[in-house]
Amino acid sequence: MLEGKVLLDKARSLSDRPTDQVARACGYVGPSGRLLKQQFYRALVKAKGYPVPEVETSSRGRQADFRTRVHGNGNLLIGNAYTRRMGLEPGQSFRIQLHEDSKSIWLLPMDEDSEGPLEA
Protein backbone atom coordinates (compact mmCIF):
# COMPACT_ATOMS: atom_id res chain seq x y z
CA MET A 1 0.00 0.00 0.00
CA LEU A 2 1.39 3.32 -1.04
CA GLU A 3 1.76 6.10 1.51
CA GLY A 4 2.88 9.71 1.73
CA LYS A 5 4.14 11.56 -1.34
CA VAL A 6 4.22 8.40 -3.45
CA LEU A 7 0.51 7.84 -2.74
CA LEU A 8 -0.39 11.44 -3.57
CA ASP A 9 1.59 11.34 -6.84
CA LYS A 10 -0.04 8.07 -7.93
CA ALA A 11 -3.52 9.32 -6.98
CA ARG A 12 -2.94 12.58 -8.91
CA SER A 13 -1.79 10.68 -11.99
CA LEU A 14 -5.01 8.62 -11.91
CA SER A 15 -7.36 11.46 -10.96
CA ASP A 16 -9.42 10.96 -14.13
CA ARG A 17 -10.32 7.39 -13.06
CA PRO A 18 -13.00 6.17 -10.62
CA THR A 19 -11.96 6.17 -6.97
CA ASP A 20 -12.13 2.36 -6.76
CA GLN A 21 -9.57 2.04 -9.56
CA VAL A 22 -7.28 4.59 -7.91
CA ALA A 23 -7.45 2.77 -4.57
CA ARG A 24 -6.69 -0.58 -6.25
CA ALA A 25 -3.76 0.90 -8.21
CA CYS A 26 -2.34 2.25 -4.95
CA GLY A 27 -2.50 -1.20 -3.37
CA TYR A 28 -5.49 -0.82 -1.06
CA VAL A 29 -6.87 -4.31 -1.57
CA GLY A 30 -7.28 -6.92 1.16
CA PRO A 31 -6.23 -10.58 0.91
CA SER A 32 -9.73 -11.58 -0.24
CA GLY A 33 -9.70 -8.95 -3.00
CA ARG A 34 -11.96 -6.61 -1.04
CA LEU A 35 -11.26 -2.93 -1.60
CA LEU A 36 -9.98 -1.17 1.54
CA LYS A 37 -11.55 2.24 0.91
CA GLN A 38 -11.44 3.50 4.48
CA GLN A 39 -7.73 2.75 4.76
CA PHE A 40 -7.17 4.39 1.37
CA TYR A 41 -9.01 7.57 2.38
CA ARG A 42 -7.21 7.71 5.75
CA ALA A 43 -3.85 7.33 4.00
CA LEU A 44 -4.73 10.17 1.60
CA VAL A 45 -5.72 12.49 4.44
CA LYS A 46 -2.55 11.61 6.33
CA ALA A 47 -0.41 12.14 3.20
CA LYS A 48 -1.92 15.60 2.81
CA GLY A 49 -0.51 16.45 6.27
CA TYR A 50 -3.66 16.35 8.36
CA PRO A 51 -3.51 14.58 11.73
CA VAL A 52 -5.32 11.26 11.64
CA PRO A 53 -6.01 9.43 14.89
CA GLU A 54 -4.79 5.85 14.79
CA VAL A 55 -7.48 3.21 14.73
CA GLU A 56 -7.14 -0.20 16.26
CA THR A 57 -7.02 -2.74 13.46
CA SER A 58 -7.60 -6.44 13.71
CA SER A 59 -6.79 -9.22 11.31
CA ARG A 60 -9.95 -11.01 12.46
CA GLY A 61 -12.27 -9.20 10.05
CA ARG A 62 -15.36 -7.35 11.14
CA GLN A 63 -16.00 -7.21 14.83
CA ALA A 64 -19.34 -8.10 16.39
CA ASP A 65 -21.36 -5.01 17.27
CA PHE A 66 -24.59 -6.84 18.15
CA ARG A 67 -26.61 -5.16 15.42
CA THR A 68 -28.18 -6.59 12.28
CA ARG A 69 -30.91 -5.76 9.77
CA VAL A 70 -33.63 -7.67 8.04
CA HIS A 71 -32.52 -8.22 4.43
CA GLY A 72 -34.69 -7.34 1.44
CA ASN A 73 -35.72 -10.99 1.10
CA GLY A 74 -36.95 -11.05 4.73
CA ASN A 75 -34.01 -13.05 6.09
CA LEU A 76 -32.30 -12.10 9.32
CA LEU A 77 -28.61 -13.04 9.38
CA ILE A 78 -26.65 -13.80 12.52
CA GLY A 79 -22.98 -13.77 11.55
CA ASN A 80 -20.26 -16.21 12.54
CA ALA A 81 -18.79 -13.73 15.04
CA TYR A 82 -21.85 -14.37 17.20
CA THR A 83 -22.19 -18.09 16.65
CA ARG A 84 -18.48 -18.57 17.35
CA ARG A 85 -18.72 -16.48 20.51
CA MET A 86 -21.61 -18.67 21.70
CA GLY A 87 -19.69 -21.87 20.87
CA LEU A 88 -22.28 -23.00 18.31
CA GLU A 89 -21.31 -25.64 15.78
CA PRO A 90 -22.32 -26.11 12.11
CA GLY A 91 -25.33 -28.41 11.82
CA GLN A 92 -26.59 -27.63 15.31
CA SER A 93 -30.41 -27.37 15.39
CA PHE A 94 -32.55 -24.81 17.18
CA ARG A 95 -36.20 -24.20 17.81
CA ILE A 96 -37.22 -20.59 17.22
CA GLN A 97 -39.42 -19.13 19.92
CA LEU A 98 -41.12 -15.79 19.22
CA HIS A 99 -41.97 -13.43 22.07
CA GLU A 100 -44.30 -10.90 20.51
CA ASP A 101 -44.83 -8.92 23.73
CA SER A 102 -41.11 -8.04 23.93
CA LYS A 103 -40.48 -8.34 20.16
CA SER A 104 -37.68 -10.81 20.85
CA ILE A 105 -36.59 -14.09 19.27
CA TRP A 106 -35.10 -16.94 21.27
CA LEU A 107 -33.07 -19.76 19.74
CA LEU A 108 -33.49 -22.88 21.83
CA PRO A 109 -30.93 -25.64 21.18
CA MET A 110 -32.60 -28.92 20.24
CA ASP A 111 -31.56 -32.34 21.43
CA GLU A 112 -30.32 -34.34 18.39
CA ASP A 113 -32.59 -37.28 19.24
CA SER A 114 -35.82 -35.34 19.76
CA GLU A 115 -37.85 -32.48 18.44
CA GLY A 116 -37.73 -30.56 21.72
CA PRO A 117 -35.24 -28.14 23.24
CA LEU A 118 -32.41 -29.40 25.43
CA GLU A 119 -33.21 -29.54 29.10
CA ALA A 120 -31.01 -27.41 31.33
Side-chain angles (χ1 to χ4, degrees), residues 24-42:
R24 283 188 193 284
C26 292
Y28 287 84
V29 181
S32 66
R34 186 170 155 248
L35 191 60
L36 305 174
K37 278 188 179 179
Q38 184 177 10
Q39 288 181 15
F40 173 64
Y41 292 137
R42 289 178 63 78

Side-chain angles (χ1 to χ4, degrees), residues 67-77 105:
R67 295 172 60 177
T68 189
R69 291 188 177 151
V70 176
H71 293 232
N73 61 6
N75 289 343
L76 181 64
L77 176 67
I105 299 170

